[in-house]
Amino acid sequence: MEQAQHRFAADPAARVTAPALRRGGPGSTAQGRRSRDRVLQASVDLIAEAGIDQVRVAKIARRAGMSPGQVMYYFTSKENILLEALAWLEHEDTRRRRAALRRIDGGWRQLARFVDLFLPASPVDPSWLLWIEAWARAPHNPAVSSFLDELMLPWRQDLAQIVERGAQQGAFQPPDAIGDFTIRFCALLDGLAIFHLRYVPSLPRHRVAELAMDAARAELTTATGAASPSPATLPS
């Protein structure tokens, strides 16, 4: 097995902690972690059902089977809950993504799967709703901006490993700077995803994936003309 695949297996990525004005209540015990995760799961469910604007601490508490006071024992504010929910979802996404990528051979197939996992699963994908909310706060909050950089790093690391491995196999013509490529390609995926969320169904998800892979082929097709997958082979 390739070294890159071993890295996917061996590095599940640490869970990032969201910025807060003060320290929340203890979450280091098993019971504390379960209580925090109940709050985060309740928040994610409410966001998917009603949108972020309709989520209130009282509603989160009712959904989690807790009192508002118990919720605020573990979290410092509604904003802290939302950012922690994003970090929680991203940690789980990284674990699942790396497990999925380990099961796939071939640079182009891995890249197509990466694109599929990156894009919103639905118009009410809670991860994407939380990302958009956090992006709006970042320009005026350096701590949130740094937090989002930390959350994005595993995506870029996984993309770099896919490109490195594909180049070793001869499937890709490696870009001059893989780090720059990961910034460009993730930014492209962000933009396409936002267009998709705004213009569904005029820009359906499968078309967004095709556009992303078209851009990848333009940058990564080998000089020897090694075949890359047609859009029809991409995940729907």
Side-chain angles (χ1 to χ4, degrees):
M1 188 178 289
E2 304 281 337
Q3 183 179 2
Q5 288 181 303
H6 282 302
R7 288 201 298 273
F8 282 133
D11 181 13
R15 186 160 157 181
V16 177
T17 300
L21 295 177
R22 60 176 176 82
R23 189 180 181 90
S28 57
T29 66
Q31 182 177 353
R33 287 192 298 270
R34 286 194 296 270
S35 295
R36 286 175 60 87
D37 285 352
R38 278 166 54 201
V39 173
L40 298 176
Q41 183 65 66
S43 302
V44 168
D45 292 344
L46 289 169
I47 289 166
E49 293 169 10
I52 289 175
D53 289 345
Q54 300 303 313
V55 174
R56 302 286 186 271
V57 171
K59 290 183 179 180
I60 294 170
R62 282 197 298 273
R63 179 63 65 94
M66 301 165 68
S67 70
Q70 287 175 306
V71 169
M72 299 313 295
Y73 175 70
Y74 290 104
F75 299 93
T76 64
S77 64
K78 176 185 167 181
E79 177 178 293
N80 182 233
I81 295 172
L82 297 179
L83 294 177
E84 286 285 5
L86 177 57
W88 181 60
L89 288 172
E90 282 297 315
H91 181 72
E92 290 300 303
D93 283 349
T94 296
R95 181 182 58 81
R96 287 191 293 265
R97 179 176 69 251
R98 291 179 175 177
L101 291 172
R102 287 198 304 273
R103 296 192 293 267
I104 298 172
D105 291 323
W108 286 110
R109 292 183 69 239
Q110 275 199 337
L111 185 59
R113 185 62 174 142
F114 178 91
V115 168
D116 182 56
L117 292 168
F118 193 107
L119 296 175
S122 76
V124 293
D125 185 320
S127 290
W128 274 92
L129 297 179
L130 285 165
W131 269 105
I132 291 169
E133 178 78 9
W135 280 333
R137 299 170 187 268
H140 303 290
N141 191 325
V144 172
S145 182
S146 297
F147 164 73
L148 296 181
D149 287 343
E150 285 188 77
L151 290 186
M152 196 65 212
L153 185 59
W155 284 100
R156 292 184 55 205
Q157 289 172 333
D158 291 354
L159 179 57
Q161 290 178 27
I162 291 169
V163 174
E164 289 169 357
R165 181 168 179 259
Q168 292 168 2
Q169 294 174 333
F172 299 152
Q173 177 68 37
D176 292 337
I178 289 178
D180 288 349
F181 171 79
T182 67
I183 293 173
R184 285 195 304 275
F185 195 66
C186 288
L188 171 73
L189 291 173
D190 282 338
L192 287 172
I194 290 170
F195 264 82
H196 167 62
L197 291 172
R198 287 177 58 196
Y199 296 115
V200 173
S202 60
L203 188 62
R205 192 176 187 278
H206 70 85
R207 179 58 180 149
V208 173
E210 290 172 4
L211 291 171
M213 292 302 291
D214 285 346
R217 281 188 286 272
E219 284 211 61
L220 299 176
T221 300
T222 66
T224 57
S228 61
S230 66
T233 67
L234 297 174
S236 60

